[in-house]
Amino acid sequence: MAADTDSTDRSPRLRGYDAKRDFGRTPEPAGAPQERSEDGLRFVVQRHRATRLHYDLRLELDGTLRSWAVPKGPTLDPDARRLAVQVEDHPMEYADFEGVIPAGEYGGGDVIVWDRGTWSPADGTDARTQLAEGSLHFDVHAEKLRGRFVLVRKGGRGDSGGKPQWLLLHKRDDDAEAGWDPEEHPHSVLSGRTNEEVAADPDLLWHSDRPASEAAEATPGRTRRAGFAPVDEHEVAALDDVGAGGTWELQGRVLKVTNLDKVLFPGRGDDPEPVTKGELLRYHAEVAAWMLPYLHDRPVNMHRYPNGAGAKGFWQKAVPAGAPDWLSRWRNDAADEGETECYAVLDSAPALVWAANLAAFELHPWTSTADHPDRPTWALIDVDPGPETTHEELLLLVRLHRTALEHLGVEAGPKTSGRRGFQIWIPVEQRYTFTETREWVEKLSKAIGATVPELVSWKWQKDDRQGLARLDYTQNAINKTLVAPFSVRPAPGAPVSMPITWDELDDPTLTSDRWTVRTAPERLVEVGDPLAELIGQPQVLPSL
Ligand code: MN
């Protein structure tokens, strides 16, 4: 094992590093103490395809990651003794890294977070002493690995040139499992992706030659990656053969689908036929290629209505039990106690159909991406009518925003909410904090509201607004969301939120709930998505 065992060649003295975590996975200010999980020290194993494939076993201790390269990978098999070559301590920042180290840089190759959790020294022993003496017994609580492991240094305390060689083994305890092979568990616990999939489409690069806080870099053009493949129309049509339930094969995934004949939405005046769950699934498959560019890479809050649009729904934030292994997930390291830790990321047509089968159709993606959850890529304006707001007054408010944004030279696009309101989505470079986008939108909307004070209320409580509209800038916050483009709303006829052109505001037939699951696919074929060209635009907001 040589250079391929490592991804950084920096000094092991990492304690002096500023603790700032550039991944932005926590809202703590820069310089805050290193994150330490409540239950113990961080444990991570990364699967690293460098010159040679190996697994990097990393144990948090004293603010750094003690690291060993394990060519054959860790195993639960108590009969296996795996070579583990001790390598330099790695910075804590590296624990969450999943992506590509550019060829030619130290450790060049692809990396996934293969397993993670916590570890603790066995039975109150002192890990520093044990490591110094060359025999560490420790307990692991991770997603794949668990139970008591032992690291034993070969050849006593000495280091016979090169890097210290250790053996890694699993004790014969309740968690031991004969024949357990890490290669049979190839998926990332962060994203559900394999090394091959990450290599083909990485979110992040890691530059070994930079300080840890600056080493991770979002892949250029990542948020503007090429479109998603539409679902083949024959695959869509095959849903008709499934009947009320069964399996539906879509883009290589076999999905179990249920209660397809159940009515989820009553009909409405212009289309009295009720809308079934089967139609909802079909719709998600039909619009997947249009919708996924707004959802991929983002945690999603899903509003589920298993008893139909007329009944009360509930929020599904955590990935539910029984979700398929292939579903992409994102773990929120910054979650406080009682907050959701593991979110779904909807990044494929099968994932969208999986959600529809849970009646999770009102999809609220975060405005930030999973790699930088505290840095939004959209600023949002929510033009929310009150009971007294007429349609004309509502359109006036949207047009005033259009005029202001044009005046400022800011690109933005309107969309219907699918209910009564309209929203304006503004792409922004991934550099602002939520406070910055919120304050920017607040200033803009307050200036606009001041020109029509008879139409707008700034009261927080709906009852205090005297029926007036609200220009809601408060959605510009982490884990605050608006409904995704093309997402279905819980209302008769299954209306959807639809991006429109500014000029369509002048269409006398425009209403916010004009398009439904039955009419939206045809519009997309004819008109397309006017908002799509703004996705991923690294727009700088002018100061107001
Ligand atoms: Mn490595």
Side-chain angles (χ1 to χ4, degrees), residues 9-17 64-65 87-91:
D9 57 355
R10 299 178 308 101
S11 153
R13 281 203 301 277
L14 298 162
R15 232 164 302 170
Y17 258 107
T64 82
L65 296 167
V87 298
E88 290 89 343
D89 294 357
H90 274 52

Side-chain angles (χ1 to χ4, degrees), residues 4-7 46 48 50 54-56 58 69 90 94 107 111:
D4 61 328
T5 55
D6 288 304
S7 58
Q46 284 152 316
H48 183 186
H54 59 274
Y55 290 70
D56 290 299
R58 307 192 195 278
H90 274 52
Y94 193 72
V111 176

Side-chain angles (χ1 to χ4, degrees), residues 22 43 110 130 142 177 285 352 358 374 414 434 468 474 514 531:
D22 207 43
F43 172 87
D110 47 75
Q130 301 265 304
E177 196 176 316
L352 271 180
L358 298 176
D374 57 358
F434 279 105
L468 300 181
T474 64
R514 174 172 172 176
L531 190 58

Side-chain angles (χ1 to χ4, degrees), residues 454-515:
E454 70 281 11
L455 299 184
V456 177
S457 168
W458 300 100
K459 296 277 196 256
W460 286 91
Q461 299 295 328
K462 213 165 203 166
D463 291 347
D464 296 340
R465 284 182 218 143
Q466 298 176 300
L468 300 181
R470 181 162 74 148
L471 305 176
D472 187 3
Y473 50 86
T474 64
Q475 299 302 317
N476 295 288
I478 192 163
N479 205 345
K480 295 264 190 166
T481 52
L482 290 178
V483 67
F486 313 113
S487 188
V488 182
R489 307 308 303 275
V496 306
S497 177
M498 180 62 75
I500 58 173
T501 65
W502 289 110
D503 288 343
E504 284 183 288
L505 293 171
D506 300 328
D507 179 343
T509 66
L510 177 69
T511 58
S512 183
D513 62 358
R514 174 172 172 176
W515 290 280

Side-chain angles (χ1 to χ4, degrees), residues 8-270:
T8 77
D9 57 355
R10 299 178 308 101
S11 153
R13 281 203 301 277
L14 298 162
R15 232 164 302 170
Y17 258 107
D18 186 301
K20 171 171 169 261
R21 270 155 300 143
D22 207 43
F23 290 105
R25 289 187 191 276
T26 86
E28 296 162 11
Q34 283 292 358
E35 178 181 28
R36 172 176 293 202
S37 85
E38 292 296 308
D39 310 303
L41 298 157
R42 291 187 68 175
F43 172 87
V44 62
V45 179
Q46 284 152 316
R47 188 174 183 275
H48 183 186
R49 293 195 309 170
T51 311
R52 271 167 288 182
L53 168 70
H54 59 274
Y55 290 70
D56 290 299
L57 170 78
R58 307 192 195 278
L59 307 177
E60 176 191 358
L61 193 63
D62 299 326
T64 82
L65 296 167
R66 303 286 181 101
S67 298
W68 290 260
V70 186
K72 290 186 175 171
T75 173
L76 300 174
D77 187 342
D79 293 321
R81 298 156 77 81
R82 294 284 159 84
L83 175 67
V85 180
Q86 189 169 10
V87 298
E88 290 89 343
D89 294 357
H90 274 52
M92 292 301 296
E93 283 90 339
Y94 193 72
D96 290 324
F97 176 69
E98 176 166 302
V100 164
I101 301 167
E105 295 193 27
Y106 204 69
D110 47 75
V111 176
I112 62 167
V113 178
W114 180 82
D115 196 17
R116 64 181 195 159
T118 59
W119 74 281
S120 51
D123 308 324
T125 55
D126 180 64
R128 288 164 210 87
T129 310
Q130 301 265 304
L131 282 170
E133 292 177 355
S135 171
L136 175 70
H137 291 237
F138 61 106
D139 294 317
V140 169
H141 308 276
E143 297 188 33
K144 295 174 184 171
L145 300 177
R146 57 202 176 271
R148 171 78 48 95
F149 283 82
V150 182
L151 271 166
V152 198
R153 190 164 52 216
K154 291 167 77 177
R157 294 178 66 105
D159 171 12
S160 54
K163 293 175 174 164
Q165 299 200 336
W166 299 61
L167 290 174
L168 175 69
L169 48 103
H170 193 285
K171 295 291 273 189
R172 209 170 289 281
D173 59 17
D174 287 349
D175 294 307
E177 196 176 316
W180 197 92
D181 181 357
E183 289 291 292
E184 290 173 6
H185 304 267
H187 295 277
S188 160
V189 294
L190 269 192
S191 67
R193 299 199 290 170
T194 60
N195 276 81
E196 289 78 6
E197 287 166 333
V198 166
D201 190 14
D203 294 321
L204 291 174
L205 303 178
W206 182 274
H207 296 287
S208 315
D209 52 354
R210 297 183 190 169
S213 62
E214 298 163 14
E217 176 189 56
T219 315
R222 171 61 175 164
T223 53
R224 302 199 69 187
R225 75 174 175 193
F228 290 83
V231 177
D232 180 271
E233 63 186 58
H234 300 291
E235 285 191 329
V236 175
L239 183 63
D240 294 338
D241 302 330
V242 176
T247 56
W248 185 20
E249 188 172 345
L250 212 64
Q251 296 188 339
R253 300 279 185 210
V254 178
L255 292 152
K256 189 160 178 279
V257 295
T258 54
N259 299 322
L260 299 182
D261 49 2
K262 182 174 182 172
V263 168
L264 286 185
F265 307 83
R268 67 180 197 184
D270 60 344

Side-chain angles (χ1 to χ4, degrees), residues 300-304 306 314-330 340-346 351 353-360 363:
V300 64
N301 301 337
M302 300 183 286
H303 214 162
R304 288 177 65 181
F314 64 93
W315 286 101
Q316 179 90 51
K317 292 190 176 180
V319 172
D325 291 343
W326 50 260
L327 185 76
S328 294
R329 293 159 163 88
W330 174 70
T340 300
E341 286 182 7
C342 187
Y343 288 79
V345 176
L346 303 178
V353 170
W354 165 81
N357 193 55
L358 298 176
L363 303 174

